[in-house]
Amino acid sequence: MVTDNTVLLGHGSGGQMMKRLIDEVFLEAFGSPELLVGNDSGVAELAPTGRIAMSTDSFVVTPRFFPGGDIGRLAVCGTVNDVATSGAHVRYLSCGFILEEGFPMGDLLRICSSMAKTAEEAGVRIITGDTKVVERGGVDGVYINTAGVGEVPEGVELSGGACRPGDVVLVSGTLGDHGIAVMSQREGLAFSTTIESDAAPLNHLIAAVLTAAPRTRCFRDPTRGGLASTLNEFAAASNVEIEVDEDAVPVLPQVQAACEMLGYDPLQVANEGKMVAVVPADEADAALEAMRASRYGENAAIIGRVSELAPAARPRVLVRTPWGSTRILDMLVGEQLPRIC
């Protein structure tokens, strides 16, 4: 039972109050065997392939709780998905909390519970962590940093620079859900139906696609900057042109309507539970079937193709509109929505 109602500066002191916070909140939620040992680092085993993938991310989203998720679920999903895009089997996470003095202990417990449930869903363990407490106003409630480690199987070599002319582009579901969910909650916008964040761990979906389409070129989760930034990064890294069929891109009607009202392009809006994949054309149907059979891929779609660059042309992304014309899809300029993750 937690004995304090709010986070106090003493909870970051390294003394008895900090031990109580760690025992009553973090160990209670995340008590993996490695974490319960109580050392300064979590010692864990990796497979004998000799290759690991590692990623780290920090989460400052506001509001902390939003339809479909919260900062805790986001912190686990974001890092799990980043590591999984390399084709790695994600195994372990670390988490670091920066807490503001006065932060409600009930909110912290809720966040930790969400993280623990999401880690269990993803099949990963939180094996080490850190806590800092700063004075009121030093941070906005809570910031979370997570790092993840996974083992890369033999023969798996995925890269945004591996796209080839003739390849096919897929997305695992509807775009723009997270960005619009956070925006609507932050700004108090009311829609006829609730728009929920898509925050989800996608490591199992990626593994299913790799089994069905072993020659997959690359994966990327289209977070800040959305699909537009992801495809432009692929095009530049591979020195190709990518063409997207706008009609084929899945977008929920309520998200499309919100984007039109706010002046956003849904292809530039952030996602936290979607994956973009580029695969050879002869494996595209198998990859699509694997996505749609996965928990978070029922709305997956083939949305475009990779083409060879014309002489002297620069890498770019084109969108073919429903009217048969094309437009250039640029990366987002500046910040569309601060503190989205």
Side-chain angles (χ1 to χ4, degrees):
M1 178 179 177
V2 180
T3 56
D4 300 297
N5 293 324
T6 62
V7 174
L8 306 173
L9 284 175
H11 286 125
S13 66
Q16 293 184 15
M17 289 182 66
M18 185 169 184
K19 185 178 188 307
R20 192 165 68 238
L21 177 71
I22 292 171
D23 290 346
E24 295 176 352
V25 177
F26 301 126
L27 293 186
E28 182 68 24
F30 308 142
S32 65
E34 297 87 353
L35 194 61
L36 291 173
V37 170
N39 292 329
D40 281 349
S41 62
V43 178
E45 293 189 8
L46 290 171
T49 62
R51 295 197 302 156
I52 66 168
M54 182 175 182
S55 183
T56 186
D57 205 346
S58 298
F59 298 85
V60 299
V61 66
T62 181
R64 291 179 286 275
F65 303 99
F66 44 83
D70 55 69
I71 190 173
R73 181 169 176 82
L74 206 58
V76 173
C77 292
T79 295
V80 165
N81 293 345
D82 283 348
V83 176
T85 59
S86 67
H89 302 311
V90 193
R91 297 281 299 276
Y92 310 113
L93 296 180
S94 71
C95 66
F97 288 82
I98 301 179
L99 301 167
E100 181 184 19
E101 177 189 14
F103 187 70
M105 196 65 73
D107 285 357
L108 182 58
L109 288 166
R110 181 179 170 188
I111 289 167
C112 289
S113 175
S114 178
M115 293 179 72
K117 290 176 182 176
T118 308
E120 181 179 11
E121 178 187 350
V124 302
R125 296 206 299 269
I126 296 171
I127 66 170
T128 189
D130 181 57
T131 308
K132 296 292 187 295
V133 180
V134 300
E135 299 85 352
R136 292 178 186 270
V139 298
D140 184 8
V142 56
Y143 297 159
I144 303 175
N145 172 272
T146 48
V149 176
E151 55 206 34
V152 183
E154 289 284 355
V156 174
E157 297 284 351
L158 302 176
S159 171
C163 305
R164 299 291 178 265
D167 288 347
V168 172
V169 181
L170 301 90
V171 295
S172 65
T174 56
L175 298 182
D177 301 357
H178 177 73
I180 298 302
V182 171
M183 167 63 86
S184 62
Q185 187 77 1
R186 186 183 299 177
E187 302 300 330
L189 302 177
F191 300 106
S192 58
T193 57
T194 300
I195 299 174
E196 294 191 348
S197 169
D198 58 352
L202 300 177
N203 49 324
H204 301 311
L205 180 147
I206 287 176
V209 172
L210 283 175
T211 298
R215 291 162 48 230
T216 295
R217 312 297 192 194
C218 54
F219 294 100
R220 189 74 53 87
D221 54 335
T223 53
R224 287 170 296 176
L227 180 71
S229 289
T230 293
L231 294 185
N232 274 283
E233 289 168 359
F234 286 168
S238 298
N239 199 38
V240 294
E241 180 176 282
I242 297 176
E243 184 173 299
V244 174
D245 181 357
E246 192 169 29
D247 270 347
V249 178
V251 180
L252 291 173
Q254 58 268 39
V255 171
Q256 182 68 50
C259 286
E260 291 174 359
M261 181 182 74
L262 297 167
Y264 290 166
D265 184 340
L267 304 186
Q268 294 180 328
V269 177
N271 311 271
E272 289 292 345
K274 299 299 185 302
M275 195 60 58
V276 181
V278 178
V279 303
D282 60 353
E283 293 187 347
D285 289 340
L288 180 62
E289 184 178 347
M291 280 188 177
R292 288 180 173 173
S294 297
R295 177 177 179 182
Y296 295 110
E298 63 180 355
N299 294 312
I302 293 173
I303 63 166
R305 288 188 173 271
V306 179
S307 303
E308 193 167 354
L309 281 180
R314 292 184 176 182
R316 61 180 182 173
V317 179
L318 298 176
V319 175
R320 184 166 296 280
T321 72
W323 302 278
S325 60
T326 58
R327 62 182 175 92
I328 294 176
L329 181 63
D330 282 327
M331 296 180 77
L332 183 66
V333 178
E335 184 69 84
Q336 183 183 72
L337 185 61
R339 295 183 60 183
I340 192 70
C341 63

